[in-house]
């Protein structure tokens, strides 16, 4: 599968098959791709905590406040993405330029994770609605949790949805001189 095919196939899954687990070799491939994600000054200012089994169910519950993300309980794997410190050069750049490179880096990391998951035939969903305090406690973290990514196999009756996106002309401007 080339990248465009991955981009066309990838969608946020909200209907996981709770009877199917993610094979270790596929999870390893997803994590290996995550390791290759670019980041400011190659600092990788994040940590991935893999939650499986009962830990996944507890992590899912920490994303379900106010009735949100109820589907997450059926995902067999949840990746809890927490923030880490900058390397010195990225910290300096962030301060001088007033830019939060960690958030950018975590976004890129998430794109790599979800793209490789799709290439492996695994569905995913990026969750930003979460209880930071509960997830920190569950995962023994001392840094903010920024995202949770659910991984698993979609139910067979979960069709590929039509992509609703802006027109390219609404997203891109070209300056030629």
């Amino acid at each position: 599968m080339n990248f465009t095919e991955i981009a066309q196939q990838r969608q946020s899954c909200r209907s996981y098959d709770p009877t199917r687990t993610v094979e270790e070799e596929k999870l390893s491939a997803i994590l290996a791709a995550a390791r290759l994600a670019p980041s400011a000054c190659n600092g990788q200012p994040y940590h991935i905590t893999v939650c499986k089994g009962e830990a996944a169910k507890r992590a899912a519950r920490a994303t379900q406040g106010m009735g949100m993300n109820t589907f997450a309980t059926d995902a067999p794997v949840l990746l809890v993405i927490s923030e880490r410190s900058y390397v010195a050069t990225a910290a300096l750049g962030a301060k001088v330029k007033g830019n939060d490179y960690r958030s950018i880096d975590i976004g890129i990391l998430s794109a790599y994770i979800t793209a490789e998951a799709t290439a492996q035939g695994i569905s995913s969903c990026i969750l930003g609605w979460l209880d930071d305090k509960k997830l920190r406690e569950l995962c023994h973290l001392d840094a903010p949790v920024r995202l949770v990514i659910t991984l698993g196999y979609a139910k067979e009756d979960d069709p590929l949805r039509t992509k609703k996106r802006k027109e390219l002309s609404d997203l891109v401007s070209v300056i030629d001189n």
Side-chain angles (χ1 to χ4, degrees):
M1 207 181 302
N2 68 39
F3 185 78
T4 300
E5 292 168 329
I6 290 169
Q8 290 168 339
Q9 290 293 311
R10 198 262 156 207
Q11 66 183 6
S12 293
C13 180
R14 293 179 181 88
S15 183
Y16 289 100
D17 181 346
T19 67
R20 294 185 69 188
T21 60
V22 175
E23 298 88 343
E24 285 301 317
E25 62 272 8
K26 291 185 177 189
L27 180 56
S28 292
I30 292 165
L31 296 172
R35 182 179 160 267
L36 297 175
S39 61
C41 304
N42 294 317
Q44 298 176 297
Y46 41 74
H47 181 78
I48 303 166
T49 303
V50 180
C51 296
K52 301 190 293 187
E54 286 305 311
K57 296 211 179 302
R58 287 190 301 273
R61 285 192 292 274
T63 69
Q64 295 173 339
M66 297 178 68
M68 299 292 286
N69 303 320
T70 56
F71 61 89
T73 305
D74 289 335
V77 176
L78 275 74
L79 303 180
V80 177
I81 313 297
S82 56
E83 188 176 278
R84 290 294 188 250
S85 298
Y86 285 119
V87 294
T89 52
L92 178 62
K95 185 171 183 159
V96 169
K97 291 298 182 180
N99 205 344
D100 180 7
Y101 296 119
R102 284 182 290 214
S103 292
I104 296 166
D105 293 343
I106 288 170
I108 295 167
L109 171 74
S110 299
Y112 269 57
I113 288 170
T114 57
E116 183 59 30
T118 300
Q120 293 293 326
I122 302 296
S123 296
S124 63
C125 190
I126 302 168
L127 310 179
W129 184 275
L130 54 86
D131 186 324
D132 175 63
K133 183 178 177 182
K134 285 182 183 175
L135 286 167
R136 283 193 204 199
E137 186 177 304
L138 170 69
C139 298
H140 312 289
L141 298 168
D142 60 1
V145 174
R146 295 299 181 206
L147 295 173
V148 173
I149 301 175
T150 57
L151 297 175
Y153 286 96
K155 289 182 180 174
E156 288 191 27
D157 63 350
D158 186 36
L160 183 62
R161 298 179 299 275
T162 302
K163 301 253 184 235
K164 296 177 185 173
R165 302 291 190 268
K166 291 180 180 180
E167 292 296 322
L168 197 56
S169 60
D170 292 332
L171 296 173
V172 177
S173 298
V174 177
I175 300 173
D176 197 5
N177 55 16

